[in-house]
């Protein structure tokens, strides 16, 4: 069983930047893709970004492409999401997830382990 713990959320003004982190422990996540998802009040959980084990392959939702960057440090077992040019519509709980395999994907069903989430609030 893998445990994922997100941190770094908070309140930021529109146009600002924030970095959230996801620390993994428990079973090895070696070789697995990792992803970030978010869920705003009253909305379904949606894909934000994903990255493969080496970091050489990434994917982003259209809504965040060019503003957000996903990265990972496999020595620290940590995945990061650097968010820039934040907008009020980015306000949500951000969840980290570990994939079932190596493929970079935006499908929630392809992720086996989930963190508890960290709140990101963007004030306009």
């Amino acid at each position: 069983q893998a445990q994922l713990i997100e941190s770094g959320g908070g309140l930021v003004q529109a146009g600002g930047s924030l970095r959230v982190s996801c620390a993994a422990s428990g079973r090895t996540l070696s070789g697995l893709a990792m992803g970030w998802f978010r869920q705003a009040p009253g909305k379904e959980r949606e894909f934000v970004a994903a990255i493969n084990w080496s970091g050489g392959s990434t994917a982003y939702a259209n809504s965040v492409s060019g503003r957000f960057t996903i990265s990972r440090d496999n020595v620290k077992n940590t995945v990061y999401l650097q968010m820039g040019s934040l907008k009020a519509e980015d306000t949500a709980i951000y969840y980290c997830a570990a994939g079932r395999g190596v493929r970079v994907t935006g499908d929630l069903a392809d992720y086996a382990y989930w963190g508890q989430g960290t709140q990101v609030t963007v004030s306009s």
Side-chain angles (χ1 to χ4, degrees):
Q1 191 78 3
Q3 289 80 43
L4 305 177
I5 300 176
E6 301 93 338
S7 62
L11 175 65
V12 62
Q13 289 187 334
S17 299
L18 195 66
R19 188 179 78 163
V20 291
S21 302
C22 170
S25 62
R27 66 149 286 176
T28 180
L29 299 179
S30 177
L32 299 180
M34 297 290 293
W36 284 98
F37 294 78
R38 67 185 182 185
Q39 188 166 17
K43 295 187 176 181
E44 294 186 350
R45 193 169 300 189
E46 64 176 7
F47 169 71
V48 176
I51 187 169
N52 71 341
W53 171 251
S54 69
S57 178
T58 58
Y60 295 93
N62 289 338
S63 59
V64 306
S65 183
R67 300 189 297 122
F68 290 12
T69 301
I70 188 171
S71 61
R72 66 191 295 168
D73 184 333
N74 293 329
V75 174
K76 296 181 178 179
N77 289 325
T78 301
V79 180
Y80 305 97
L81 184 68
Q82 179 69 48
M83 302 180 287
S85 301
L86 284 161
K87 307 174 183 179
E89 50 263 45
D90 294 318
T91 295
I93 298 175
Y94 282 71
Y95 297 91
C96 171
R100 299 182 188 277
V102 301
R103 189 168 63 97
V104 172
T105 167
D107 189 340
L108 276 72
D110 290 330
Y111 292 83
Y113 302 102
W114 293 83
Q116 294 299 306
T118 184
Q119 176 72 48
V120 172
T121 302
V122 183
S123 63
S124 57

